[in-house]
Each structure stands twice: as structure tokens, then as C-alpha cells.
Amino acid sequence: MKHSAGPPPPGRRRPSGWRRLKPRSSQAFVLGVCMAVGGLAGGVRAAVDGEGVWKALGIFGVGVLGVVLAVSWIVTYARER
């Protein structure tokens, strides 16, 4: 196996696509909190009103995604500080 000891080859080097999954702005945190509160409360209300299982689960899923977004922002913030 050959290892190069010199600089990387010329050309444009792009950061990896995984970088986009790390929320860095405070707007991502606010969006996550709003999605969490609205989705969880809306899912519970839809279930209580008898809107249907799929509609309630869909709205509740938005809340779960909001929680994931807010928690991932907190974890990213803690790692960078």
C-alpha cells in the first residue's frame, strides 16, 4: 500500500455531506423547539379529538423530529464549546 507524504492533489476540496446534518445556528434550535411543542401538543389534541390514528401519528412525528433537532443542536453546541 502506497502512502503519499506530500500535499493533497490540486483541485477543489469539498467538505463532507455529513457536515450539513450538524445544526449550528440558533435558528435550528428555535425551529426544533417550535416543532417539538407544536407537534407534540397537536398530536395529543388530534388523538383526543378523534381525528384518526394516521393523522395524529403524523403530527406527533413532527414533534418527535423537533425534539431530535433540538437535542442535536444542544449536543453540537456542547461539543464545540
Side-chain angles (χ1 to χ4, degrees):
M1 187 158 145
K2 183 179 177 183
H3 295 282
S4 64
R12 184 174 172 202
R13 299 185 72 196
R14 293 177 22 175
S16 77
W18 291 105
R19 177 183 60 90
R20 296 184 190 273
L21 294 178
K22 293 182 179 179
R24 286 194 162 86
S25 70
S26 60
Q27 293 174 347
F29 178 70
V30 172
L31 177 65
V33 169
C34 290
M35 285 174 60
V37 170
L40 296 175
V44 169
R45 180 172 177 151
V48 169
D49 288 344
E51 292 290 329
V53 174
W54 293 113
K55 187 173 183 178
L57 285 177
I59 297 171
F60 193 73
V62 171
V64 171
L65 287 176
V67 169
V68 169
L69 182 62
V71 168
S72 68
W73 185 89
I74 291 169
V75 168
T76 302
Y77 183 80
R79 284 185 182 171
E80 289 181 356
R81 302 286 176 220

